[in-house]
Amino acid sequence: MALLEVRDLNVWFRLPKGGRVHAVQDLSLSLDPGQSMGLVGESGCGKTTALTAIMALVPPNAEVSGRVIFDGDDLLVPGERTARKHRWTGLSLVFQGAMNAFNPVVRVEDQIAEPMVAHRLRDQRQAIARARELLEMVGINPKAGRRYPHEFSGGMRQRAMMAMALACDPKLLIADEPTTALDNMVQAQILLLLKRLSEELGLGLLMVTHDLPVVSQLCDSAAVMYAGRIIERGPIADLFHAPAHPYTRMLFDATPDLYDDRPVISIPGTPPRLDREPTACPFAPRCDSAVDRCFAQLPLPEEIGPARVAACLRAEDMLALARGGSRHG
Ligand SMILES: Nc1ncnc2c1ncn2[C@@H]1O[C@H](COP(=O)(O)OP(=O)(O)OP(=O)(O)O)[C@@H](O)[C@H]1O
Ligand code: SF4
Ligand SMILES: [Mg+2]
């Protein structure tokens, strides 16, 4: 059974002046225990909204439909109880800018201990002992847990945030741009730590990032989002060697590669507004492979291979082209 199964997830935000933004549109994905998936796409395509909806943590102006099945329970059933039952203990979240989310006047180890006590998994003394173990696990001297958050560097705070996310032994870690605010060296260390922890603890990992090379190194599979929709998902190696959607190909080609001297392209144009429902391919105005019907028909996600889905009217042509060419060897 999948650890996480998301079916037809939709999120709309009501706007103060009337109208709605359709931020997540018919999103489906599935993640097996211990597997890792990267969620990628340009700014504003709905990545954070998708994750907060999966955690049942959307803001009050949001309307949500669909199903989020975690460990057999639907987290979106009204009443919040099911979602609360699984948060921290089943799935936990390291969100964008999380390292600034510590309470400045509470010692770090007390904050890491708090969810364990709140979920009655350990008493205060045991929880502090476990917090110190967790700090050690993420590469921080356990004695540093006595310090306050401002006495930690940015990298240390992000590591401590991961310790807190692991406090209740979750099965799935959801991370939203876990390294954005950190310098390159610390980013690499944190990502390696994430990979090691997910392997050692058998954790599932669903991670949002702008950075495709990071997904290539860290994740088993990827889901590419564009304008609120997943336009392609599948094993990362398949997407890299033979992308079925032109946007996936262009995202890879827009990413510099140290080991390849191919020219880096930029993707022309901007994503569409999300306050109108699409009636054609949302990527058509920017797509180098568009044909007339792309401007008249909305492509729906279709299976194009084992564990592979793409929403492009020309997916088969794109696959044939990629496989026939010498793309990345
Ligand atoms: N609370 C909100 N109210 C209204 N619109 C919102 C709200 N939160 C997000 N949006 C809109 O929903 C869309 C998706 O936003 P989201 O933050 O999920 O994108 P993202 O892919 O995470 O972007 P980034 O990479 O910049 O973090 C955007 O058009 C955004 O303006
Ligand atoms: S459906 Fe057409 S416009 Fe859209 S991505 Fe595919 S080829 Fe490009
Ligand atoms: Mg975001």
Side-chain angles (χ1 to χ4, degrees), residues 52 54-58 70 75 80-93 115 119 168 170:
T52 47
I54 288 171
M55 295 286 291
L57 285 172
V58 291
F70 178 78
L75 303 188
E80 264 262 310
R81 268 186 63 192
T82 318
R84 213 174 292 143
K85 180 179 106 187
H86 287 289
R87 237 178 262 145
W88 291 102
T89 52
L91 66 178
S92 67
L93 176 68
H119 283 89
C168 300

Side-chain angles (χ1 to χ4, degrees), residues 245-246 281 283-284 287 289-290 294 299 312-314:
H245 196 290
C281 174
F283 191 55
C287 181
S289 308
C294 304
C312 169
L313 300 174
R314 300 193 60 201

